[in-house]
Amino acid sequence: PFFVSPTPIERQTIEPGSEGEIKLDVTLRPSILQTQTTQYENLKLISRAIATYTLEDKTGQRVISMGPTLELPMTTPVRLESFTRYFAPSGDQIGRGPIPPEPGRETTYWVFWHVNGTTNALRNARIEGTLPEGVRFTGRQTVSQNGSVSYDENSRTVAWTSDSVSPTFPPLSKVVGVAFEVGITPQQELTKAPEILKNIGLTATDQFTGAFVSAHAPNLKAILKK
């Protein structure tokens, strides 16, 4: 289901004994739905070239020729969701402080990272982001698995690492989620939403194919309205 049906290539005539090469570009979908497959882990892309032609002889026979089946292990797609909240979806307040943030008073928000759509296990996974000046890591956090969120004061980098992350595409898989609190104290009245986290990205190694995989998310801004 990852394949987008290619447009067939046509040749009007191929002379007897001739040789040549035909290049067919095939587009792959970046992701699929769970309902489009019954296999959810360690997927392989299976393809076969098929040629149909008519013999220009007295028979006019129509011939179908099939090439060998090719199987290629598929490097996992990765979706990284990154968002911030002051209120939980239930309406409960999880942030603290004035909205919008006021000069000299701290307002805290929660940042959430979710990893979705992975069909293979990931090794040495790392998600990180950089805190702009004026934003601090409070230390409050919650993670769904593995170690805690770390903070490097020199680089102002917030990071979460894991030696292994199981596939998240199977229907019964667990959500890979990371959440932590940041605080911002404006020095002057805000005229626009300031950034609270930037340079957000995920890197890992695909355990099935050995390929390097990565994903990025847009910079996050403070919420100014309740």
Side-chain angles (χ1 to χ4, degrees), residues 100-223:
E102 299 175 0
R105 298 182 61 188
E106 184 178 64
T107 298
T108 63
Y109 301 92
W110 279 82
V111 172
F112 295 84
W113 289 334
H114 290 169
V115 179
N116 297 312
T118 51
T119 58
N120 303 333
L122 301 178
R123 289 189 287 108
N124 302 323
R126 177 182 175 89
I127 310 176
E128 66 177 31
T130 305
L131 296 180
E133 292 294 333
V135 181
R136 76 178 185 98
F137 175 65
T138 71
R140 297 182 65 192
Q141 58 181 276
T142 178
V143 297
S144 64
Q145 64 179 67
N146 299 101
S148 59
V149 176
S150 64
Y151 177 61
D152 186 316
E153 293 184 358
N154 294 323
S155 63
R156 301 188 62 78
T157 299
V158 181
W160 174 80
T161 59
S162 176
D163 293 337
S164 179
V165 176
S166 299
T168 58
F169 185 62
L172 299 180
S173 63
K174 296 181 179 179
V175 174
V176 178
V178 178
F180 56 91
E181 186 185 54
V182 298
I184 180 171
T185 304
Q187 300 303 308
Q188 57 189 12
E189 187 173 348
L190 298 177
T191 57
K192 61 180 181 179
E195 291 184 346
I196 59 174
L197 191 67
K198 58 184 181 179
N199 306 326
I200 305 166
L202 175 150
T203 57
T205 299
D206 186 311
Q207 186 168 300
F208 183 48
T209 65
F212 172 80
V213 294
S214 63
H216 297 86
N219 295 346
L220 296 179
K221 293 185 177 182
I223 298 170

Side-chain angles (χ1 to χ4, degrees), residues 5-11 14 22-24 26 46-54 62-70:
S5 297
T7 302
I9 295 177
E10 296 185 2
R11 294 291 184 269
I14 298 179
I22 293 175
K23 179 180 178 181
L24 181 64
V26 181
I46 302 174
S47 66
R48 170 181 283 184
I50 301 174
T52 58
Y53 54 91
T54 301
R62 188 67 173 170
V63 179
I64 298 177
S65 177
M66 296 186 179
T69 298
L70 302 178

